[in-house]
Amino acid sequence: MLRIIDARDGETVDAAPARRGLTRVEAHVADRGPGALRVLLVADLVVRTLELGGTPVWSLLTEAPGQPADRGLPALRSAAAALGMRPFEDSRDIGLGLGETQVLHVVAQGGATPDGVRVAVAPVGTDRLPFPDLARDPAVDPAAVRLALLSPPRATPLRLDAAVLGAAHDTLLRWRRAVAGWAAHPSRPVPEEVRVRLRNAWENDLDVPEVLRVLAAVETSEGLADGARFETYAYADRLLGLDLTLGVGAGA
């Protein structure tokens, strides 16, 4: 069960008080910059974590008042799709109140202050905006951008520069090649202690950096069957959304 820190008071709350009750995850964006993309990514992670726990989720995108609907929003949605995010419905076109048992608002630090549980996301600085051309730029792997945004804690400001993107690209390439190699070996179950570490990480305030640390440890752990390494990475990728199995069967 996902427990998350409420930015209003720093208290930890259940993200879904009723396991099978509908939870609304509402992402609030005030601009079209990289910070907005990070807000959407954190909302996407919340949705994935709740779904992994069996909770039905309704994800919405809400804009700050006064934002023109057609100014940069299609590009933001396109970039979000390129980064593997699930589509967000437009809250302006849908009536709320479908019997949700919980509402989680994902907001930029210092931004919107809606009533209800708030998940705050730190800003992103960049030398080059990763959109609107992200989906069409062959020089940029969207999954590397996603990994770069995932790597620091969400409350930590991030500078998305060439060095950060390059490091994320190298890690992603190494992991995809490793996963493709491990896939050639007989499958083995995810070790129980590893599964517990992964679930504890993403269910404890969505600690994605810890999930990445677990994968790094699995990559080099002695005595672990390659088939178990493969299943571990495939299992964690249900949350991470990095297409880690992309090279399987392709000679990667």
Side-chain angles (χ1 to χ4, degrees):
M1 177 68 69
L2 173 62
R3 290 179 58 79
I4 203 137
I5 293 177
D6 188 345
R8 295 175 301 174
D9 53 18
E11 295 294 324
T12 301
V13 300
D14 288 334
R19 183 177 179 84
R20 299 297 176 182
L22 177 65
T23 295
R24 177 179 10 132
V25 177
E26 191 165 349
H28 297 257
V29 297
D31 55 47
R32 308 293 186 264
L37 193 62
R38 193 181 193 188
V39 167
L40 292 182
L41 178 56
V42 171
D44 180 68
L45 293 171
V46 172
V47 170
R48 287 170 179 262
T49 303
L50 289 170
E51 288 180 341
L52 284 170
T55 299
V57 187
W58 184 27
S59 55
L60 300 175
L61 189 157
T62 296
E63 299 177 89
Q67 287 287 337
D70 60 346
R71 184 172 296 174
L73 188 57
L76 178 61
R77 288 187 180 275
S78 176
L83 266 62
M85 298 183 211
R86 316 289 177 81
F88 291 85
E89 297 184 63
D90 190 338
S91 65
R92 293 172 305 179
D93 298 333
I94 301 173
L96 302 181
L98 297 181
E100 307 103 331
T101 59
Q102 178 71 288
V103 181
L104 303 176
H105 299 280
V106 184
V107 302
Q109 286 180 352
T113 55
D115 292 335
V117 178
R118 294 199 293 270
V119 181
V121 182
V124 178
T126 180
D127 298 326
R128 174 191 177 196
L129 293 180
F131 56 88
D133 295 327
L134 175 65
R136 300 185 296 273
D137 188 347
V140 177
D141 185 342
V145 178
R146 183 177 176 106
L147 178 56
L149 291 170
L150 288 175
S151 295
R154 66 172 183 275
T156 301
L158 170 65
R159 185 73 184 174
L160 201 62
D161 56 23
V164 169
L165 287 173
H169 174 79
D170 291 346
T171 298
L172 184 65
L173 187 62
R174 187 181 77 251
W175 279 357
R176 283 176 173 172
R177 286 175 174 168
V179 168
W182 298 332
H185 295 264
S187 177
R188 294 289 186 273
V190 179
E192 185 59 23
E193 64 273 18
V194 174
R195 185 187 299 274
V196 169
R197 284 186 64 191
L198 288 171
R199 291 301 292 250
N200 285 345
W202 70 55
E203 291 183 350
N204 179 23
D205 196 39
L206 205 62
D207 190 354
V208 178
E210 175 63 13
V211 173
L212 298 175
R213 286 190 289 270
V214 172
L215 292 187
V218 166
E219 180 184 13
T220 58
S221 177
E222 295 183 4
L224 189 61
D226 285 344
R229 298 184 209 273
F230 171 81
E231 295 296 344
T232 298
Y233 272 64
Y235 176 66
D237 204 36
R238 295 169 63 188
L239 170 75
L240 300 175
L242 295 172
D243 289 332
L244 295 177
T245 60
L246 187 63
V248 175

